[in-house]
Each structure stands twice: as C-alpha cells, then as structure tokens.
Amino acid sequence: MTTVLLEARDLTFSYTPDHPIIDGWSAEFPRGSTTALTGTSGRGKSTLLYLLGLMLRPTGGDILIGSEQASRSSDGARSHLRASRYGFVFQDAALDTTRTVLDNVTETALYRNVSRRSVEGSARDLLHRFGVDLAADRKPGQVSGGQAQRIALCRALLGNPDIILADEPTGNLDPSTAAVVVSALKEQATAGATVVIVTHSPDVAAACDREIVL
C-alpha cells in the first residue's frame, strides 16, 4: 500500500479575495515519488510550493503531512516541521555569501537543534559526492552558478529529509549539472522521500514519476 506523505486538500490562496492564485487545489504526494509541477509563468507554481513547504498559510484548505494537519499549526510548529521534515532547493541557490561553503551546508542543523560539528562529516561527504571540488572554507560568492546549486542541493539533503521541494533547481544550469541535480533528487525519492519539483523543463518533467500541469 502506497503511503501518502504530503497532501494538499482543497487548497486556496489569495492576496485579494477576488483573485485567488490557487483555488480549491488538491493532490497527494506518495512516499518514494517524484512529481513535476509545470505550467505557464504566473500560474502559481512557486506559490504552491511555498504553501506545500509551510512557508505560506493557505487562505483555505489544508496541508497534511501523513495524516496530520500542518498548515494551521502555530508558527513555531511549522518552523519545526520545516526543519525536521523538509529540504528546500531554490532556483537561485539562496546561499549566504558571508559564510563559508561548509557553513551554508550545515546551516539546517541549527534549526534541528543538532550541533554543526556532528554533521560536518556528512556535509563534507555530500560535497564530495556531488563534485563540489572547493575548499570548504571558501565563500559562495567565489563559486560558479553550477557549484552554488550543488551546494544548495547538499544543504537540502543533509539530514535525509522526508520531503524535498525544489523550485526550478535546474533553471540556470548546464545540462550535465542539471542531470546531477535531477539524479540526486530521484535517488532521494527511491530512498523513501517525497520530491516535488517546479520546472519549465520538459526533460526534468519527463524524468519525474508524474507531471501535474497547473
């Protein structure tokens, strides 16, 4: 029996009552699956990802993790869920240029109340695995766009999160780097995670188990 790890139920979101960006949208995301969210620009793909990631509160409907309602929880509870259950990959990598590569990867440990020292070995292993052949004390401002996205991927995978949300993770990458990122996300799903990818790339969508067009 397939386990639904993440679910959107009658989800609605709007900044103004007369113009909903998301209107009564529902979907289930099983454990072990990769799902591509596609559609033309302005259809609310990134907004939907932020709703699924508990970074925005829905105007109506619910986000469930397993069978538990999560979207109406307190800010503290949602922050804890994001830290303990989620990994995020953003289009622009969203690295802190004032901190080292290693610090950027281990940043999520802070939110899980785990010492950074205890995860440094895992972080270095991930950097090596994805070919980030940089000194760990180098600043992200000194790396290429492809390297920055691989660093962001390492940060998302540290701690083996149950749910990975990726917003155009290959949008600014060359084909070989994009293939590395997609392969890593699919591997995480094979290990039991739920992966949701917002993409405009037909190749990325085709690599996923299913595609939902908004």
Side-chain angles (χ1 to χ4, degrees):
M1 181 177 178
T2 302
T3 301
V4 175
L5 184 56
L6 179 66
E7 180 180 357
R9 188 176 293 172
D10 296 323
L11 203 62
T12 299
F13 180 81
S14 63
Y15 291 106
T16 59
D18 297 334
H19 297 89
I21 299 172
I22 308 294
D23 190 9
W25 190 84
S26 298
E28 295 181 344
F29 302 93
R31 184 179 290 279
S33 68
T34 54
T35 301
L37 296 180
T38 65
T40 58
S41 296
R43 295 302 299 269
K45 299 184 299 296
S46 293
T47 298
L48 181 56
L49 207 69
Y50 298 150
L51 288 164
L52 293 173
L54 308 180
M55 291 180 280
L56 290 175
R57 286 187 184 272
T59 307
D62 298 297
I63 302 293
L64 291 87
I65 298 178
S67 59
E68 297 186 9
Q69 205 279 82
S71 53
R72 300 182 190 179
S73 301
S74 67
D75 289 345
R78 288 185 297 118
S79 294
H80 176 73
L81 285 168
R82 287 195 301 269
S84 62
R85 304 294 298 273
Y86 285 84
F88 297 93
V89 184
F90 300 102
Q91 183 176 3
D92 63 355
L95 302 180
D96 185 343
T97 58
T98 68
R99 301 165 67 190
T100 67
V101 167
L102 186 61
D103 282 345
N104 270 276
V105 176
T106 59
E107 177 185 18
T108 56
L110 175 67
Y111 308 124
R112 299 196 305 270
N113 293 319
V114 174
S115 73
R116 287 187 176 181
R117 180 164 297 186
S118 70
V119 299
E120 280 188 4
S122 297
R124 291 180 186 276
D125 288 345
L126 283 167
L127 289 168
H128 177 73
R129 173 187 172 191
F130 294 116
V132 183
D133 53 348
L134 303 167
D137 60 353
R138 182 174 291 188
K139 300 291 180 64
Q142 301 170 299
V143 307
S144 69
Q147 293 278 31
Q149 197 66 348
R150 293 186 192 205
I151 294 166
L153 179 63
C154 293
R155 178 181 59 192
L157 297 182
L158 189 69
N160 291 313
D162 292 328
I163 302 165
I164 298 178
L165 305 181
D167 191 2
E168 291 286 1
T170 65
N172 300 317
L173 303 181
D174 62 84
S176 62
T177 304
V180 169
V181 171
V182 172
S183 177
L185 293 172
K186 286 179 64 65
E187 184 175 331
Q188 197 71 11
T190 300
T194 290
V195 178
V196 184
I197 306 172
V198 165
T199 185
H200 284 106
S201 166
D203 291 337
V204 173
C208 293
D209 299 318
R210 64 171 178 167
E211 177 180 1
I212 298 176
V213 181
L214 299 185

